[in-house]
Structure formats: structure tokens, C-alpha cells
Amino acid sequence: MPGRPVPRPPQRPRKPQQNDDSRDYGTVRWRDDGQLGSDPRKKFVRRATEVSSGRKGVLKHMSDPPVPGERYVDKGRQVRRQRFYDEALFMRQVNGSPGILPVWDIDDAHGSAPRWYAMPRARLLANVFDDSSTVLDVVTHTAALARTLAVLAEQGIYHRDIKPANLFWYDGAPVLADFGIAAFAHQPAGLTRVGDKVGPANFMAPEMRSTDGKDRGERADVYSLAKTLFVLAHPRRGEYPPDGTHRVDAEEFSLSSLGGGNAMLSLGHVLEAATQHRVHDRLTMADFHAELMAWLDRHTARTAGFTPFGSRSPGGWGPDLRDRHRRDVEATRAMVLPCIRRIAEALTGDPSAWTEGIDHGNGDRTLGEYHWIDNCEEGFIPDGGFIWVSTHLHDGRRIVLDALFDSDRVCFLAEAQRSGPPWALEQQWGPAPWHRPRMPRTAAQIQQLTDAVVTWLSHPAPAASVAEDSERTVTGV
């Protein structure tokens, strides 16, 4: 009834909560300065100051060390302790190795069962990137980490916990840390128990999600590092990558917002090969490193073509950008068609003697030297596509008019080609300067280029001098 108090269900007495901060994390050589982060599950990772020198470091302690009088230790606790011993001793063994966060000090009072080790304080790799960074920076640092992981893989060592939170920046280079669930050489698969999931869920390779303890994770790090690259390259997208194999034709795996045009298609194929569901279909770490280096060798010179983090729209090529590009192409085509009609009339006497669309089977391609920088295996392909129109063949000659799109810019070029297919270059004009589509200056550029072609058709001149004259006319050089 209204106004009648509702009886509350009986409350069970609460169990007393253990005070996680009651543990003394200080050591003889290091003064405890408090938890490093805010994660309540990581209270054993502590800021600390070395008593003798005053240098600031980080101590990683055992999550649950042995206590006096302890008689029974369950299997899970045994596994966690042994994992920590293995990690601490491994970190001491590889101390000073490139690409791995160094160890400054280690518990030497408990022999082969150390309870803590000390490292320098380092920045998260994700925090190294700023608004001026691009995907080139991400791939560069990821490739360095892949090299380190490839060296470890040759020794039968697999990290198995690759994610942004375990990648750091120290002494001017990216480094690995937190080998707590690694599989080490000449040991079982990291003391994994049946049913354990090994690795961070959103970055975890499929074979590690429910393991029987037999899979050491030979190619799991490749999968996780590729997923990490995707996340680091999209700092505004969220902290987790899409699940499953990277598909270059799927919207959730789109790299278009990174800039670089066809370079992103090439990188997408590398990520797809690195995240294959079946282990043996996946790249090895050595191959992943080699592919990233090959990609960098091809595309590093095109720095200006990649979009800085601070200039990106979180949505990449969303509906607004696609619609704008569509209107750019339509408006540019409207500029091109009167020009090719005029050129066709000057060459053949018939303004309708022209065709639109490139025919690769007929050998259609530009033949001139334009100093483009290759952005894919096929050479240079403009990021936003192109409009290709050409006159019909007349007296062994045709004129090609080409509009090339690159992000929010367009430029034009023309060629006189003979005796094809295969075609031979007779003369070239342009390229015109890059301008925004639909702008008056853009229309003026294609008109100037058309004037130069028509003038040449009316009064052919020696090829070299005409090319130089037309370039000065069109580009202002």
C-alpha cells in the first residue's frame, strides 16, 4: 500500500576486507614511494627510491610472496610464484640487451626465488606520440620491437603479453617489459594450467585463449604486436583493437584516416598476414619485422602524405568526406570534358573523338617522368583516384588528359603518345600545381594546360623545348 515501508531483505554479515596496503614493500636497499599506477590489481608494482644513490626506480614485487608458517600452497599460487621467479631471473639474464627494459637491482637474499627486482622509470610508448606524430612513427617503433621479439623467438622465448601497457620508451628507444607470463626456452609453456587464457583478451592470439598448455605461443606475439600497432596508430579510437583477423576491406579495420593513401593498403595487407587465425598461416616475427622495414623503406620519404595525430578526424573517411570527394570528382570531370573536346577537335577535327576511362589492356598509362614517389607495388597511384580521358588516334598520335586526386587536392597533366600500343611518349605537359578541386584557380590551371596542348598541335616544336616552355607556362617554374 502507498506509504507503507517496504521491508529490506536480511543482510549477510560482510567478510572483513583485507587491507592490501598493510604489506611492507620496503627493502633494505630501496625505500617504497607508493603504488606506481591506480590499478588495484597491480599494488605490487611500486615507485621506489634507492637508498644509497637517491635514484628513482620501479620495484616489481611478487604478488603473493611466501609467508612464515605457510604450510599449504595451492596450484594457482605455485604457478604465479614460479612465473615471477622465471621473470625476475630472465630479466637479470638479459640485462643490457637492446629493446628490453634494463634491471637495476634484484633480490639476492632468496637465491633462485627472488621476491622483487628494480627497473628504471620509463614512459609508456603510447605517451611518446604527440599531435605531430604519424603512422610512420608508430611503424618505426613497432618494427624496432619486432626486431627484439624476433631475436627472442630465435632463442625459444615468447613474451605472450604484448599490449600497449607493456611497451615503454627508455633511453631514446622502445623497450619491452613485463615478462610475467612469458614462455622461456627449455621450460614448459610458461607453467600454463589447462584452461588458462594467456595474454590480454583484446590483443590475444586465438590459439592462446583456451590452451591445453602445449602451445608455447610461437606466433602469438606477432598477432598481439599487429593489434598493438593498430591501436597506437589510432590514439582517438579507443584502447582496444577490433577482434579477429585484420581485414583490409572491412570498415572496422580501416586505416584511411592515417593518410598515405595506397601506402595504407599495403600496411593493411601486412597486418592481415600478421593476424591470421590459423597459426601456420600467420607471419613469423622475423617476417613481420622484415615486412615493416620494407614498408618503411618505401614510404618514409613521403612524410607529408601522412596525417598527423592532431589533425585527424576520429571517423576517418566518414560520410562527409566521401560525399565531398564525390562532389570534387564530379566538378573536376565537368572541367575536364570541355578541355578534351577542344583538344580532340584540334587534333582530329571532331570534338567527339575521345573516350573516357583507362584501358590497361590497351597499354594505357602515363609515360612521362613526373618525379612521383612510389606509394604501392605498382608505383605511384593517386590517393583519391584519377580521371583519364584520351582522344582517338589520329595520324599515329593521341592526346591523354589526366586529373589526379590526392586527399583534398587535384592536379592535371597531358601527354602526346604515338604508335601504340605499346605507346611512345612524344610530348608531355605538367603536372599543374596541386589545388583544391572546384576552385577558380583549379579551372584556370586546366585551361592553361589545354591552351598549351592546342598550341602545340597547331605549331609542333622540338620536343625538349616545348616541354620546357609548357612546364613554365603550367607550373610557373
Side-chain angles (χ1 to χ4, degrees):
M1 295 179 62
R4 186 174 180 177
V6 178
R8 295 182 178 181
Q11 301 292 315
R12 293 182 179 181
R14 294 183 178 180
K15 294 181 179 180
Q17 297 292 318
Q18 182 178 357
N19 182 1
D20 290 335
D21 291 326
S22 62
R23 177 176 165 187
D24 183 7
Y25 288 100
T27 73
V28 173
R29 298 192 291 268
W30 292 85
R31 182 181 68 248
D32 180 60
D33 295 330
Q35 184 179 344
L36 179 64
S38 59
D39 188 342
R41 298 167 299 178
K42 297 286 187 178
K43 291 184 180 293
F44 51 86
V45 183
R46 316 286 294 183
R47 293 178 290 111
T49 301
E50 190 173 35
V51 175
S52 62
S53 67
R55 62 179 175 175
K56 305 292 184 180
V58 173
L59 258 65
K60 184 173 183 179
H61 299 260
M62 292 186 64
S63 58
D64 51 359
V67 296
E70 184 179 52
R71 295 183 179 180
Y72 172 74
V73 181
D74 61 39
K75 180 65 174 179
R77 187 171 297 179
Q78 290 178 13
V79 168
R80 288 193 296 273
R81 289 177 180 175
Q82 189 60 51
R83 281 176 175 170
F84 183 83
Y85 302 150
D86 292 342
E87 176 190 11
L89 296 173
F90 168 78
M91 294 295 286
R92 181 175 65 179
Q93 175 187 344
V94 299
N95 192 32
S97 298
I100 299 177
L101 191 65
V103 168
W104 279 352
D105 195 6
I106 189 170
D107 173 23
D108 53 9
H110 298 91
S112 61
R115 300 185 182 183
W116 57 264
Y117 67 91
M119 305 165 285
R121 297 185 187 180
R123 296 172 64 190
L124 280 173
L125 178 60
N127 293 339
V128 171
F129 305 115
D130 57 26
D131 285 351
S132 65
S133 300
T134 71
V135 66
L136 285 172
D137 301 300
V138 174
V139 175
T140 297
H141 298 327
T142 303
L145 293 167
R147 181 176 62 247
T148 299
L149 288 165
V151 171
L152 292 176
E154 290 177 355
Q155 303 168 26
I157 300 168
Y158 310 102
H159 189 285
R160 307 199 305 178
D161 198 12
I162 298 296
K163 57 184 177 181
N166 286 338
L167 306 180
F168 294 87
W169 185 261
Y170 177 73
D171 198 23
V175 293
L176 300 167
D178 199 343
F179 283 77
I181 60 173
F184 299 105
H186 313 303
Q187 291 184 3
L191 296 173
T192 304
R193 294 177 299 162
V194 174
D196 272 358
K197 293 181 178 180
V198 182
N202 294 86
F203 300 87
M204 190 190 308
E207 68 273 16
M208 307 309 292
R209 299 191 179 196
S210 183
T211 180
D212 58 5
K214 296 179 180 179
D215 196 318
R216 294 172 52 79
E218 283 84 352
R219 301 193 188 183
D221 288 343
V222 178
Y223 184 99
S224 300
L225 188 59
K227 291 290 186 179
T228 298
L229 188 158
F230 184 88
V231 169
L232 293 176
H234 293 85
R236 301 183 185 181
R237 189 170 185 148
E239 59 181 317
Y240 302 115
D243 196 21
T245 297
H246 184 103
R247 287 285 302 274
V248 295
D249 57 349
E251 182 64 29
E252 65 267 31
F253 294 108
S254 174
L255 302 174
S256 60
S257 66
L258 310 184
N262 286 285
M264 292 301 99
L265 181 62
S266 176
L267 181 60
H269 285 301
V270 175
L271 297 184
E272 183 171 316
T275 56
Q276 288 296 304
H277 183 87
R278 297 200 322 170
V279 175
H280 295 294
D281 290 341
R282 201 178 302 156
L283 294 175
T284 66
M285 187 61 75
D287 286 338
F288 186 49
H289 171 253
E291 295 296 347
L292 293 180
M293 293 305 298
W295 187 88
L296 287 168
D297 288 344
R298 178 175 289 272
H299 299 294
T300 296
R302 300 183 63 241
T303 305
F306 296 93
T307 307
F309 287 178
S311 302
R312 287 186 197 163
S313 167
W317 275 78
D320 291 343
L321 288 179
R322 285 194 291 268
D323 181 63
R324 189 174 74 186
H325 180 68
R326 176 186 59 79
R327 292 187 293 121
D328 288 345
V329 172
E330 290 177 353
T332 303
R333 183 175 182 273
M335 293 179 184
V336 167
L337 297 189
C339 295
I340 194 61
R341 293 189 184 108
R342 183 180 166 206
I343 292 171
E345 184 173 22
L347 176 64
T348 70
D350 180 2
S352 65
W354 60 275
T355 56
E356 181 176 5
I358 192 166
D359 182 358
H360 293 289
N362 191 42
D364 287 356
R365 64 186 183 91
T366 55
L367 304 175
E369 177 55 59
Y370 300 104
H371 306 291
W372 308 122
I373 297 174
D374 291 351
N375 58 8
C376 66
E377 295 298 327
E378 291 74 28
F380 171 76
I381 297 178
D383 297 342
F386 54 89
I387 297 172
W388 171 284
V389 292
S390 63
T391 67
H392 293 173
L393 191 63
H394 181 76
D395 290 339
R397 173 190 292 150
R398 71 173 182 175
I399 302 295
V400 171
L401 186 59
D402 200 4
L404 295 81
F405 297 91
D406 181 17
S407 185
D408 59 351
R409 305 178 302 164
V410 65
C411 77
F412 306 94
L413 59 87
E415 293 184 355
Q417 300 180 352
R418 297 190 65 89
S419 309
W423 301 96
L425 179 67
E426 182 180 11
Q427 182 63 282
Q428 68 183 71
W429 297 267
W434 292 96
H435 278 304
R436 284 179 178 271
R438 297 183 272 152
M439 296 293 103
R441 286 189 299 166
T442 306
Q445 290 290 338
I446 192 170
Q447 289 295 334
Q448 290 176 28
L449 186 143
T450 302
D451 290 344
V453 174
V454 170
T455 298
W456 181 82
L457 289 171
S458 302
H459 307 284
S465 62
V466 172
E468 293 168 359
D469 290 344
S470 63
E471 186 172 350
R472 282 193 291 269
T473 300
V474 176
T475 66
V477 175

